[in-house]
Amino acid sequence: GRLLADLRGGVQYSYRDCDNPQPKNGGKYCEGKRIQYRSCSTQTCPDNNGLSFREEQCLAHNELSSQVSFGPGPAVEWVPKYAGVSPKDRCKLVCRAKGTGYFFILKPKVEDGTPCSPDSTSVCVQGQCVKAGCDRVIGSSKKFDKCGVCGGDSSTCKKVTGSLDRARPGYQDVVTIPAGATHIDIKQRAPGGSQQDNSYLALRGVGGAYLLNGEYTLTTLETDVSLRGALLRYSGSSAALERIRSFGPLPEPLTVQVLSVGSAPRPRVKYSYFAPRPAPARPAVSFNAIQETAAADWVLR
């Protein structure tokens, strides 16, 4: 047979043909695998305006805007949809029209090497989710530690927790989570586990623009919040346990707020995340210190 190499999306293929010689007179086809694959080009890709590989693939279909209409307004911009997508469909290119609840399968398969989900290191190969490590090697068992370091020991970050149980009507800051923070988990629980609540979570970016639940407008259903390649998953404001989660490192600071309505709001917000530890300060050199000199001579008198 002969081997062919095909490089696509960080995956290298070899194809084995049974044609030298071809089976004849009822002969069986060559035994063994006809297609094999492995990882290649495992280095980090250059920054593409903070877009993930899947975001790039959705944006490439923006020309469909002229064929699909969702009413008056600007042209449709396609963004990845993760929330509510079945695990068996995560290697399909499922994209949502930004600012709407409409979504479509734009391609039956994403490009090879696309992560299966934002919180997984596994990758899609020929439409199937294949195990891979944080080192981007197929079959590897390497994992990110709590700090987002591949194969690390979680020593470069610290866990930060806090809560808020009193607020004034309107928007109020809860915490500003720093850039580089990982494993973010923010919860707002309705009193008694009911779905009737007067407090809701909101997110603001570094420029002050709202990313979630701003301008007194709530997102009631489960949705994804994109932030320069990072993704935060939101349960929806109608959930009894309102929750925002993210696993990868934040590319920039993020302010968490609580929106309270009514005369006596009693939010129940709890948050936790892992923040990078500051680099240890280098000891200052004292001008009064006695420094050893290699050429020093000692004389006894």
mmCIF file of all heavy atoms in Angstrom, residues 85 229 231 288:
data_model
loop_
_atom_site.group_PDB
_atom_site.id
_atom_site.type_symbol
_atom_site.label_atom_id
_atom_site.label_comp_id
_atom_site.label_asym_id
_atom_site.label_seq_id
_atom_site.Cartn_x
_atom_site.Cartn_y
_atom_site.Cartn_z
ATOM 1 N N VAL A 85 -26.993 22.067 23.649
ATOM 2 C CA VAL A 85 -26.607 21.192 22.543
ATOM 3 C C VAL A 85 -26.287 19.803 23.106
ATOM 4 O O VAL A 85 -25.530 19.665 24.066
ATOM 5 C CB VAL A 85 -25.385 21.757 21.792
ATOM 6 C CG1 VAL A 85 -24.899 20.773 20.733
ATOM 7 C CG2 VAL A 85 -25.732 23.089 21.146
ATOM 8 N N GLY A 229 -12.857 35.051 23.345
ATOM 9 C CA GLY A 229 -12.399 33.671 23.273
ATOM 10 C C GLY A 229 -12.755 32.843 24.483
ATOM 11 O O GLY A 229 -12.783 31.611 24.402
ATOM 12 N N LEU A 231 -15.494 31.665 27.510
ATOM 13 C CA LEU A 231 -16.932 31.446 27.500
ATOM 14 C C LEU A 231 -17.426 31.235 28.922
ATOM 15 O O LEU A 231 -16.841 30.476 29.692
ATOM 16 C CB LEU A 231 -17.277 30.228 26.655
ATOM 17 C CG LEU A 231 -18.771 30.081 26.403
ATOM 18 C CD1 LEU A 231 -19.154 30.786 25.111
ATOM 19 C CD2 LEU A 231 -19.169 28.620 26.322
ATOM 20 N N ASN A 288 23.993 48.677 52.925
ATOM 21 C CA ASN A 288 24.801 48.472 54.125
ATOM 22 C C ASN A 288 25.278 47.039 54.265
ATOM 23 O O ASN A 288 25.937 46.687 55.231
ATOM 24 C CB ASN A 288 23.995 48.852 55.376
ATOM 25 C CG ASN A 288 23.663 50.339 55.382
ATOM 26 O OD1 ASN A 288 24.482 51.143 54.960
ATOM 27 N ND2 ASN A 288 22.467 50.689 55.853
#
